[in-house]
Amino acid sequence: DIQMTQSPSPLSASVGGRVTITCRASQNINSALAWYQQKPGKAPKLLISKASILETGVPLRFSGSGSGTEFTLTISSLQPDDFATYYCQHYESYSPKFGQGTKVDI
Amino acid sequence: EVKLVESGGVVVQPGGSLRLSCAASGFTFEDYYMHWVRQVPGKGLEWVSLITWEDDSTYYADSVKGRFTISRDNSRSSLYLQMNSLTAEDTALYYCAKGLRWFGTILDSWGQGTRVTVSS
C-alpha cells in the first residue's frame, strides 16, 4: 500500500511570502499526483493534476513539480485567499490515497 | 454547472445502518467515475469508495470493505453508499465526488457533504 506523507504541518507564512509544501510517496508513483485546496467549512478543490498541470482557473502563483517519490506545491506569492489546508493525492490506482494535509496559516 | 448534493446523514447508533445519496446534475453522470470521500471533523481526507462507469466495478478502502456498498442509478443520476455495521470510527462528513473523464480517480468536483454521526 502506497503511503503519502506531507510536510511541514502546519506551515506559518505571511502574505506575499513564498510557500513550499512537500509530499513524499512511499514508492515510485511517477507523476500520478494531484493537489487539492480546502478552506474551512468547504469542500476540497482540485488545483493540480499529473504533478504539475494547473486546473483551469487556478492562479498562476500556484505550481507543482516533482516525480517519482518527491513532489512539491509552491505558492509564489501568498495571498489572503490562499490560507487553507492543502492535500496531495496519489491517484494511479483504484484506491486513491491522500496525504495528511498541510495547513497554511498566518 | 456540475452540482453534487449529498443527503441521508443522520445520527445512528453503533451497529446500525444508513444509506447516503448523492444527486448529480450538470454532466452526463453515466460517463464518470464517482467516489465517496469522508473527513472526520478537524482531520484529513479519507477516500472511501469508487464506482466505475464502464462496468460499475466497485472499490473500497480497507476500513470499510465488507460493510459499505457503493452503487449508482444512471437513470436518476444518483450515487449511493449503503453503510452497515457502523462504528464510532465512521463518524465523519461524507463527500460525494466526481472523477475526471480522462482519469477517473482525480476528483474534480465535490459536493458539500452530509454528516454522519455514530453514537449511542
Side-chain angles (χ1 to χ4, degrees):
Chain A
D1 227 25
I2 295 175
Q3 302 301 316
M4 309 301 294
T5 304
Q6 291 182 231
S7 61
S9 187
L11 187 160
S12 295
S14 302
V15 173
R18 183 181 181 89
V19 165
T20 299
I21 299 169
T22 298
C23 176
R24 289 187 174 87
S26 59
Q27 56 186 276
N28 184 359
I29 61 170
N30 299 303
S31 297
L33 189 95
W35 289 99
Y36 299 81
Q37 175 194 63
Q38 187 180 33
K39 297 179 182 177
K42 301 293 186 184
K45 173 188 173 185
L46 177 64
L47 296 178
I48 287 171
S49 62
K50 212 169 184 181
S52 62
I53 300 175
L54 246 61
E55 287 298 294
T56 302
V58 174
L60 294 178
R61 61 181 180 272
F62 289 90
S63 64
S65 65
S67 67
T69 61
E70 188 153 331
F71 303 85
T72 58
L73 172 69
T74 299
I75 310 171
S76 59
S77 178
L78 198 67
Q79 299 302 301
D81 192 48
D82 302 335
F83 289 96
T85 300
Y86 294 86
Y87 295 91
C88 64
Q89 180 219 1
H90 165 52
Y91 57 78
E92 199 176 50
S93 82
Y94 289 115
S95 182
K97 182 76 82 171
F98 291 95
Q100 79 273 27
T102 294
K103 183 178 181 181
V104 177
D105 56 21
I106 300 174
Chain B
E1 180 198 1
V2 171
K3 197 171 180 186
L4 299 169
V5 180
E6 303 93 337
S7 61
V10 291
V11 178
V12 60
Q13 290 192 337
S17 298
L18 199 55
R19 189 197 199 204
L20 305 183
S21 300
C22 171
S25 60
F27 64 102
T28 307
F29 181 76
E30 63 187 21
D31 288 345
Y32 291 86
Y33 284 22
M34 295 297 297
H35 302 252
W36 289 99
V37 177
R38 69 185 181 183
Q39 185 171 37
V40 173
K43 302 295 184 183
L45 301 170
E46 180 188 16
W47 174 81
V48 173
S49 183
L50 90 85
I51 186 165
T52 68
W53 64 264
E54 299 98 333
D55 57 4
D56 287 357
S57 291
T58 58
Y59 300 87
Y60 300 92
D62 288 344
S63 59
V64 306
K65 204 172 290 183
R67 301 188 299 122
F68 289 12
T69 302
I70 190 172
S71 61
R72 64 194 300 163
D73 183 340
N74 291 334
S75 68
R76 296 177 184 269
S77 294
S78 291
L79 178 72
Y80 305 101
L81 186 68
Q82 177 66 42
M83 309 163 66
N84 297 331
S85 303
L86 287 161
T87 72
E89 285 67 44
D90 297 315
T91 294
L93 185 66
Y94 284 73
Y95 291 104
C96 163
K98 166 187 161 290
L100 280 178
R101 186 69 176 97
W102 65 270
F103 216 106
T105 48
I106 301 172
L107 309 179
D108 72 328
S109 298
W110 300 63
Q112 286 307 302
T114 187
R115 192 165 301 279
V116 173
T117 303
V118 183
S119 174
S120 55

